[in-house]
PDB file of all heavy atoms in Angstrom:
ATOM      1  N   GLY I   1      55.151 -27.707   5.263  1.00 96.00           N
ATOM      2  CA  GLY I   1      55.593 -26.786   6.323  1.00 96.00           C
ATOM      3  C   GLY I   1      56.504 -25.670   5.874  1.00 96.00           C
ATOM      4  O   GLY I   1      57.166 -25.023   6.663  1.00 96.00           O
ATOM      5  N   ALA I   2      56.506 -25.373   4.540  1.00 97.00           N
ATOM      6  CA  ALA I   2      57.446 -24.417   3.994  1.00 97.00           C
ATOM      7  C   ALA I   2      56.772 -23.113   3.497  1.00 97.00           C
ATOM      8  O   ALA I   2      57.398 -22.337   2.738  1.00 97.00           O
ATOM      9  CB  ALA I   2      58.249 -25.064   2.857  1.00 97.00           C
ATOM     10  N   ALA I   3      55.540 -22.896   3.918  1.00 97.00           N
ATOM     11  CA  ALA I   3      54.847 -21.703   3.480  1.00 97.00           C
ATOM     12  C   ALA I   3      54.697 -20.700   4.620  1.00 97.00           C
ATOM     13  O   ALA I   3      54.481 -21.058   5.770  1.00 97.00           O
ATOM     14  CB  ALA I   3      53.419 -22.083   2.971  1.00 97.00           C
ATOM     15  N   ARG I   4      54.868 -19.386   4.275  1.00 97.00           N
ATOM     16  CA  ARG I   4      54.745 -18.338   5.263  1.00 97.00           C
ATOM     17  C   ARG I   4      53.709 -17.306   4.802  1.00 97.00           C
ATOM     18  O   ARG I   4      53.515 -17.085   3.627  1.00 97.00           O
ATOM     19  CB  ARG I   4      56.091 -17.594   5.425  1.00 97.00           C
ATOM     20  CG  ARG I   4      57.212 -18.424   6.123  1.00 97.00           C
ATOM     21  CD  ARG I   4      56.920 -18.517   7.627  1.00 97.00           C
ATOM     22  NE  ARG I   4      58.034 -19.182   8.344  1.00 97.00           N
ATOM     23  CZ  ARG I   4      58.224 -20.462   8.457  1.00 97.00           C
ATOM     24  NH1 ARG I   4      57.410 -21.276   7.815  1.00 97.00           N
ATOM     25  NH2 ARG I   4      59.233 -20.932   9.130  1.00 97.00           N
ATOM     26  N   ALA I   5      53.068 -16.722   5.756  1.00 97.00           N
ATOM     27  CA  ALA I   5      52.090 -15.646   5.550  1.00 97.00           C
ATOM     28  C   ALA I   5      52.762 -14.295   5.664  1.00 97.00           C
ATOM     29  O   ALA I   5      53.685 -14.102   6.494  1.00 97.00           O
ATOM     30  CB  ALA I   5      50.915 -15.770   6.499  1.00 97.00           C
ATOM     31  N   HIS I   6      52.288 -13.362   4.839  1.00 97.00           N
ATOM     32  CA  HIS I   6      52.777 -11.959   4.952  1.00 97.00           C
ATOM     33  C   HIS I   6      51.549 -11.061   5.144  1.00 97.00           C
ATOM     34  O   HIS I   6      50.795 -10.798   4.193  1.00 97.00           O
ATOM     35  CB  HIS I   6      53.538 -11.563   3.692  1.00 97.00           C
ATOM     36  CG  HIS I   6      53.939 -10.076   3.711  1.00 97.00           C
ATOM     37  ND1 HIS I   6      55.065  -9.622   4.343  1.00 97.00           N
ATOM     38  CD2 HIS I   6      53.325  -8.972   3.193  1.00 97.00           C
ATOM     39  CE1 HIS I   6      55.152  -8.335   4.183  1.00 97.00           C
ATOM     40  NE2 HIS I   6      54.125  -7.903   3.515  1.00 97.00           N
ATOM     41  N   PRO I   7      51.270 -10.625   6.399  1.00 95.00           N
ATOM     42  CA  PRO I   7      50.108  -9.739   6.636  1.00 95.00           C
ATOM     43  C   PRO I   7      50.266  -8.433   5.829  1.00 95.00           C
ATOM     44  O   PRO I   7      51.326  -7.816   5.857  1.00 95.00           O
ATOM     45  CB  PRO I   7      50.193  -9.504   8.124  1.00 95.00           C
ATOM     46  CG  PRO I   7      50.956 -10.682   8.707  1.00 95.00           C
ATOM     47  CD  PRO I   7      51.963 -11.006   7.638  1.00 95.00           C
ATOM     48  N   PHE I   8      49.200  -8.050   5.188  1.00 97.00           N
ATOM     49  CA  PHE I   8      49.165  -6.864   4.370  1.00 97.00           C
ATOM     50  C   PHE I   8      49.541  -5.602   5.148  1.00 97.00           C
ATOM     51  O   PHE I   8      50.211  -4.677   4.600  1.00 97.00           O
ATOM     52  CB  PHE I   8      47.757  -6.724   3.794  1.00 97.00           C
ATOM     53  CG  PHE I   8      47.538  -5.473   2.944  1.00 97.00           C
ATOM     54  CD1 PHE I   8      48.388  -5.167   1.924  1.00 97.00           C
ATOM     55  CD2 PHE I   8      46.434  -4.655   3.249  1.00 97.00           C
ATOM     56  CE1 PHE I   8      48.157  -3.987   1.124  1.00 97.00           C
ATOM     57  CE2 PHE I   8      46.205  -3.522   2.464  1.00 97.00           C
ATOM     58  CZ  PHE I   8      47.078  -3.209   1.410  1.00 97.00           C
ATOM     59  N   SER I   9      49.237  -5.562   6.423  1.00 94.00           N
ATOM     60  CA  SER I   9      49.522  -4.393   7.229  1.00 94.00           C
ATOM     61  C   SER I   9      51.016  -4.035   7.301  1.00 94.00           C
ATOM     62  O   SER I   9      51.378  -2.890   7.554  1.00 94.00           O
ATOM     63  CB  SER I   9      48.980  -4.572   8.661  1.00 94.00           C
ATOM     64  OG  SER I   9      49.518  -5.757   9.255  1.00 94.00           O
ATOM     65  N   ARG I  10      51.829  -5.030   7.044  1.00 96.00           N
ATOM     66  CA  ARG I  10      53.301  -4.800   7.131  1.00 96.00           C
ATOM     67  C   ARG I  10      53.859  -4.051   5.932  1.00 96.00           C
ATOM     68  O   ARG I  10      54.956  -3.455   5.970  1.00 96.00           O
ATOM     69  CB  ARG I  10      54.050  -6.103   7.299  1.00 96.00           C
ATOM     70  CG  ARG I  10      53.794  -6.820   8.627  1.00 96.00           C
ATOM     71  CD  ARG I  10      54.589  -8.072   8.700  1.00 96.00           C
ATOM     72  NE  ARG I  10      54.181  -8.905   9.892  1.00 96.00           N
ATOM     73  CZ  ARG I  10      54.478 -10.166  10.034  1.00 96.00           C
ATOM     74  NH1 ARG I  10      55.299 -10.754   9.138  1.00 96.00           N
ATOM     75  NH2 ARG I  10      54.051 -10.830  11.077  1.00 96.00           N
ATOM     76  N   SER I  11      53.183  -4.155   4.788  1.00 97.00           N
ATOM     77  CA  SER I  11      53.707  -3.551   3.599  1.00 97.00           C
ATOM     78  C   SER I  11      52.746  -2.599   2.902  1.00 97.00           C
ATOM     79  O   SER I  11      52.982  -2.099   1.832  1.00 97.00           O
ATOM     80  CB  SER I  11      54.133  -4.638   2.591  1.00 97.00           C
ATOM     81  OG  SER I  11      53.127  -5.549   2.367  1.00 97.00           O
ATOM     82  N   CYS I  12      51.569  -2.373   3.535  1.00 97.00           N
ATOM     83  CA  CYS I  12      50.561  -1.430   2.982  1.00 97.00           C
ATOM     84  C   CYS I  12      51.149  -0.037   2.962  1.00 97.00           C
ATOM     85  O   CYS I  12      51.776   0.390   3.920  1.00 97.00           O
ATOM     86  CB  CYS I  12      49.308  -1.524   3.805  1.00 97.00           C
ATOM     87  SG  CYS I  12      48.073  -0.288   3.356  1.00 97.00           S
ATOM     88  N   VAL I  13      50.939   0.685   1.917  1.00 96.00           N
ATOM     89  CA  VAL I  13      51.378   2.059   1.765  1.00 96.00           C
ATOM     90  C   VAL I  13      50.252   2.968   2.212  1.00 96.00           C
ATOM     91  O   VAL I  13      49.176   2.963   1.604  1.00 96.00           O
ATOM     92  CB  VAL I  13      51.854   2.383   0.343  1.00 96.00           C
ATOM     93  CG1 VAL I  13      52.229   3.868   0.220  1.00 96.00           C
ATOM     94  CG2 VAL I  13      52.987   1.478  -0.056  1.00 96.00           C
ATOM     95  N   MET I  14      50.491   3.764   3.236  1.00 93.00           N
ATOM     96  CA  MET I  14      49.465   4.702   3.716  1.00 93.00           C
ATOM     97  C   MET I  14      50.005   6.095   3.796  1.00 93.00           C
ATOM     98  O   MET I  14      51.190   6.326   4.168  1.00 93.00           O
ATOM     99  CB  MET I  14      48.998   4.281   5.164  1.00 93.00           C
ATOM    100  CG  MET I  14      48.230   2.976   5.145  1.00 93.00           C
ATOM    101  SD  MET I  14      47.396   2.614   6.676  1.00 93.00           S
ATOM    102  CE  MET I  14      48.747   2.279   7.771  1.00 93.00           C
ATOM    103  N   SER I  15      49.170   7.051   3.419  1.00 83.00           N
ATOM    104  CA  SER I  15      49.526   8.467   3.530  1.00 83.00           C
ATOM    105  C   SER I  15      48.912   9.018   4.847  1.00 83.00           C
ATOM    106  O   SER I  15      48.418   8.286   5.702  1.00 83.00           O
ATOM    107  CB  SER I  15      48.945   9.270   2.347  1.00 83.00           C
ATOM    108  OG  SER I  15      47.530   9.346   2.467  1.00 83.00           O
ATOM    109  N   GLY I  16      49.030  10.338   5.024  1.00 74.00           N
ATOM    110  CA  GLY I  16      48.494  10.924   6.242  1.00 74.00           C
ATOM    111  C   GLY I  16      46.988  10.798   6.406  1.00 74.00           C
ATOM    112  O   GLY I  16      46.477  10.737   7.477  1.00 74.00           O
ATOM    113  N   LEU I  17      46.283  10.653   5.243  1.00 79.00           N
ATOM    114  CA  LEU I  17      44.781  10.580   5.334  1.00 79.00           C
ATOM    115  C   LEU I  17      44.314   9.198   5.763  1.00 79.00           C
ATOM    116  O   LEU I  17      43.348   9.057   6.450  1.00 79.00           O
ATOM    117  CB  LEU I  17      44.166  10.878   3.944  1.00 79.00           C
ATOM    118  CG  LEU I  17      44.020  12.329   3.565  1.00 79.00           C
ATOM    119  CD1 LEU I  17      43.438  12.415   2.136  1.00 79.00           C
ATOM    120  CD2 LEU I  17      43.127  13.092   4.533  1.00 79.00           C
ATOM    121  N   GLU I  18      45.064   8.146   5.364  1.00 85.00           N
ATOM    122  CA  GLU I  18      44.624   6.820   5.609  1.00 85.00           C
ATOM    123  C   GLU I  18      44.935   6.347   7.023  1.00 85.00           C
ATOM    124  O   GLU I  18      46.089   6.572   7.491  1.00 85.00           O
ATOM    125  CB  GLU I  18      45.245   5.874   4.592  1.00 85.00           C
ATOM    126  CG  GLU I  18      44.734   6.107   3.168  1.00 85.00           C
ATOM    127  CD  GLU I  18      45.715   5.802   2.077  1.00 85.00           C
ATOM    128  OE1 GLU I  18      46.955   5.906   2.331  1.00 85.00           O
ATOM    129  OE2 GLU I  18      45.290   5.422   0.994  1.00 85.00           O
ATOM    130  N   VAL I  19      44.021   5.739   7.712  1.00 86.00           N
ATOM    131  CA  VAL I  19      44.212   5.384   9.136  1.00 86.00           C
ATOM    132  C   VAL I  19      44.355   3.859   9.300  1.00 86.00           C
ATOM    133  O   VAL I  19      44.758   3.403  10.354  1.00 86.00           O
ATOM    134  CB  VAL I  19      43.091   5.929  10.027  1.00 86.00           C
ATOM    135  CG1 VAL I  19      43.132   7.429  10.045  1.00 86.00           C
ATOM    136  CG2 VAL I  19      41.706   5.420   9.553  1.00 86.00           C
ATOM    137  N   GLU I  20      43.944   3.099   8.293  1.00 90.00           N
ATOM    138  CA  GLU I  20      44.107   1.647   8.365  1.00 90.00           C
ATOM    139  C   GLU I  20      44.339   1.099   6.976  1.00 90.00           C
ATOM    140  O   GLU I  20      44.002   1.748   5.955  1.00 90.00           O
ATOM    141  CB  GLU I  20      42.863   0.987   9.014  1.00 90.00           C
ATOM    142  CG  GLU I  20      41.587   1.215   8.287  1.00 90.00           C
ATOM    143  CD  GLU I  20      40.421   0.575   8.983  1.00 90.00           C
ATOM    144  OE1 GLU I  20      40.453   0.434  10.227  1.00 90.00           O
ATOM    145  OE2 GLU I  20      39.457   0.179   8.294  1.00 90.00           O
ATOM    146  N   PRO I  21      44.948  -0.076   6.855  1.00 93.00           N
ATOM    147  CA  PRO I  21      45.258  -0.666   5.523  1.00 93.00           C
ATOM    148  C   PRO I  21      44.002  -0.765   4.685  1.00 93.00           C
ATOM    149  O   PRO I  21      42.944  -1.215   5.136  1.00 93.00           O
ATOM    150  CB  PRO I  21      45.814  -2.056   5.870  1.00 93.00           C
ATOM    151  CG  PRO I  21      46.354  -1.901   7.232  1.00 93.00           C
ATOM    152  CD  PRO I  21      45.493  -0.943   7.961  1.00 93.00           C
ATOM    153  N   TYR I  22      44.124  -0.336   3.394  1.00 95.00           N
ATOM    154  CA  TYR I  22      42.983  -0.318   2.490  1.00 95.00           C
ATOM    155  C   TYR I  22      43.182  -1.393   1.441  1.00 95.00           C
ATOM    156  O   TYR I  22      44.147  -1.380   0.686  1.00 95.00           O
ATOM    157  CB  TYR I  22      42.865   1.070   1.831  1.00 95.00           C
ATOM    158  CG  TYR I  22      41.675   1.197   0.923  1.00 95.00           C
ATOM    159  CD1 TYR I  22      40.495   1.834   1.385  1.00 95.00           C
ATOM    160  CD2 TYR I  22      41.710   0.774  -0.383  1.00 95.00           C
ATOM    161  CE1 TYR I  22      39.410   1.937   0.512  1.00 95.00           C
ATOM    162  CE2 TYR I  22      40.596   0.888  -1.230  1.00 95.00           C
ATOM    163  CZ  TYR I  22      39.444   1.492  -0.787  1.00 95.00           C
ATOM    164  OH  TYR I  22      38.376   1.641  -1.624  1.00 95.00           O
ATOM    165  N   TRP I  23      42.242  -2.334   1.353  1.00 95.00           N
ATOM    166  CA  TRP I  23      42.234  -3.367   0.320  1.00 95.00           C
ATOM    167  C   TRP I  23      40.783  -3.692  -0.004  1.00 95.00           C
ATOM    168  O   TRP I  23      39.997  -3.959   0.872  1.00 95.00           O
ATOM    169  CB  TRP I  23      42.972  -4.604   0.778  1.00 95.00           C
ATOM    170  CG  TRP I  23      43.046  -5.702  -0.248  1.00 95.00           C
ATOM    171  CD1 TRP I  23      44.023  -5.858  -1.175  1.00 95.00           C
ATOM    172  CD2 TRP I  23      42.167  -6.835  -0.402  1.00 95.00           C
ATOM    173  NE1 TRP I  23      43.799  -6.982  -1.928  1.00 95.00           N
ATOM    174  CE2 TRP I  23      42.654  -7.645  -1.492  1.00 95.00           C
ATOM    175  CE3 TRP I  23      41.001  -7.260   0.220  1.00 95.00           C
ATOM    176  CZ2 TRP I  23      42.016  -8.787  -1.917  1.00 95.00           C
ATOM    177  CZ3 TRP I  23      40.360  -8.396  -0.186  1.00 95.00           C
ATOM    178  CH2 TRP I  23      40.888  -9.161  -1.287  1.00 95.00           C
ATOM    179  N   ARG I  24      40.426  -3.575  -1.294  1.00 93.00           N
ATOM    180  CA  ARG I  24      39.018  -3.860  -1.656  1.00 93.00           C
ATOM    181  C   ARG I  24      38.963  -4.780  -2.885  1.00 93.00           C
ATOM    182  O   ARG I  24      39.742  -4.616  -3.843  1.00 93.00           O
ATOM    183  CB  ARG I  24      38.294  -2.508  -2.043  1.00 93.00           C
ATOM    184  CG  ARG I  24      38.153  -1.510  -0.877  1.00 93.00           C
ATOM    185  CD  ARG I  24      37.157  -2.001   0.125  1.00 93.00           C
ATOM    186  NE  ARG I  24      36.870  -0.933   1.107  1.00 93.00           N
ATOM    187  CZ  ARG I  24      37.659  -0.679   2.183  1.00 93.00           C
ATOM    188  NH1 ARG I  24      38.679  -1.434   2.414  1.00 93.00           N
ATOM    189  NH2 ARG I  24      37.325   0.301   3.022  1.00 93.00           N
ATOM    190  N   ASP I  25      38.082  -5.744  -2.797  1.00 90.00           N
ATOM    191  CA  ASP I  25      37.731  -6.536  -3.957  1.00 90.00           C
ATOM    192  C   ASP I  25      36.402  -5.983  -4.453  1.00 90.00           C
ATOM    193  O   ASP I  25      35.325  -6.204  -3.881  1.00 90.00           O
ATOM    194  CB  ASP I  25      37.570  -8.017  -3.575  1.00 90.00           C
ATOM    195  CG  ASP I  25      37.096  -8.886  -4.709  1.00 90.00           C
ATOM    196  OD1 ASP I  25      37.008  -8.335  -5.866  1.00 90.00           O
ATOM    197  OD2 ASP I  25      36.778 -10.070  -4.521  1.00 90.00           O
ATOM    198  N   VAL I  26      36.478  -5.150  -5.526  1.00 92.00           N
ATOM    199  CA  VAL I  26      35.272  -4.429  -6.000  1.00 92.00           C
ATOM    200  C   VAL I  26      34.553  -5.341  -7.044  1.00 92.00           C
ATOM    201  O   VAL I  26      34.196  -4.908  -8.120  1.00 92.00           O
ATOM    202  CB  VAL I  26      35.620  -3.063  -6.611  1.00 92.00           C
ATOM    203  CG1 VAL I  26      36.007  -2.122  -5.505  1.00 92.00           C
ATOM    204  CG2 VAL I  26      36.757  -3.183  -7.645  1.00 92.00           C
ATOM    205  N   GLY I  27      34.317  -6.576  -6.607  1.00 89.00           N
ATOM    206  CA  GLY I  27      33.792  -7.617  -7.529  1.00 89.00           C
ATOM    207  C   GLY I  27      32.306  -7.674  -7.679  1.00 89.00           C
ATOM    208  O   GLY I  27      31.785  -8.466  -8.439  1.00 89.00           O
ATOM    209  N   THR I  28      31.579  -6.875  -6.886  1.00 93.00           N
ATOM    210  CA  THR I  28      30.072  -6.828  -7.038  1.00 93.00           C
ATOM    211  C   THR I  28      29.714  -5.369  -7.350  1.00 93.00           C
ATOM    212  O   THR I  28      30.437  -4.423  -7.105  1.00 93.00           O
ATOM    213  CB  THR I  28      29.384  -7.284  -5.775  1.00 93.00           C
ATOM    214  OG1 THR I  28      29.644  -6.348  -4.703  1.00 93.00           O
ATOM    215  CG2 THR I  28      29.819  -8.669  -5.331  1.00 93.00           C
TER     216      THR I  28
END
């Protein structure tokens, strides 16, 4: 019971162009 989640949206760095949090796994 000692683990916490941190949603990416809270610390994502966005400029004026970006409208939503950007994260990609370019693994394929």
Side-chain angles (χ1 to χ4, degrees):
R4 290 285 188 279
H6 175 84
F8 176 53
S9 57
R10 293 181 191 168
S11 53
C12 174
V13 176
M14 292 192 290
S15 71
L17 279 179
E18 293 151 330
V19 294
E20 60 182 29
Y22 184 98
W23 183 87
R24 296 289 188 276
D25 176 5
V26 289
T28 66

